[in-house]
């Protein structure tokens, strides 16, 4: 098989040609930038303590609370913060909600659209 044709580096305004996504000059920089900007707040807000809280809440509330209100019995797979931690919410049980994946996704998408993020 012939070698891959070189193309411009994906780093902004870099004229170098490469057969990979980034040229050798920008590969480490792009990786470092990605790691710094890829939802850094998640690492600060969700750690071992959250996993323990989540698991305990799922044990106490094994069914999706929204589906249960609609008369359906669907196992919960996610725990949702009614008021997000970054908006002043807490891990208190009154701020948590056990949800199935479809319900959690729908709420997350609605919140994202409401805040104007894409």
């Amino acid at each position: 098989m012939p070698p891959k044709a070189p193309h411009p580096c994906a780093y902004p305004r870099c004229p170098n040609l490469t057969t990979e996504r980034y040229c050798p000059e920008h590969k480490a920089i792009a990786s470092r930038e990605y790691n710094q900007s890829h939802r850094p707040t998640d690492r600060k807000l969700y750690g071992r303590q959250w996993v323990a809280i989540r698991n305990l809440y799922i044990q106490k509330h094994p069914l999706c609370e929204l589906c249960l209100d609609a008369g359906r019995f669907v196992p919960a797979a996610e725990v949702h913060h009614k008021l997000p931690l970054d908006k002043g919410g807490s891990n208190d049980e009154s701020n948590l909600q056990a949800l199935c994946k479809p319900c959690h996704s729908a709420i997350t998408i609605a919140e994202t659209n409401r805040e104007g993020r894409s």
Side-chain angles (χ1 to χ4, degrees):
M1 178 180 276
K4 206 172 178 183
H7 53 32
C9 173
Y11 199 80
R13 296 184 298 275
C14 177
N16 297 335
L17 295 177
T18 182
T19 56
E20 298 180 18
R21 182 172 171 95
Y22 296 103
C23 67
E25 182 181 342
H26 293 116
K27 193 173 192 175
I29 295 170
S31 177
R32 189 169 42 252
E33 287 175 358
Y34 175 83
N35 289 335
Q36 288 175 351
S37 67
H38 193 67
R39 297 185 61 132
T41 57
D42 282 357
R43 286 190 291 275
K44 294 176 188 171
L45 300 176
Y46 299 98
R48 285 188 188 128
Q49 185 180 10
W50 165 245
V51 172
I53 292 167
R54 180 209 172 279
N55 290 342
L56 186 62
Y57 193 82
I58 288 282
Q59 283 178 351
K60 288 182 182 178
H61 306 271
L63 299 175
C64 173
E65 294 176 33
L66 292 182
C67 290
L68 198 57
D69 290 344
R72 296 184 308 266
F73 298 96
V74 180
E78 307 279 342
V79 175
H80 176 71
H81 288 92
K82 295 173 187 174
L83 179 63
L85 295 176
D86 60 352
K87 302 256 186 290
S90 70
N91 287 330
D92 187 61
E93 281 198 23
S94 63
N95 190 42
L96 300 179
Q97 192 173 29
L99 301 172
C100 61
K101 286 188 184 283
C103 287
H104 188 256
S105 295
I107 289 175
T108 303
I109 289 168
E111 288 174 351
T112 301
N113 289 341
R114 189 172 43 245
E115 293 174 5
R117 292 183 280 170
S118 53

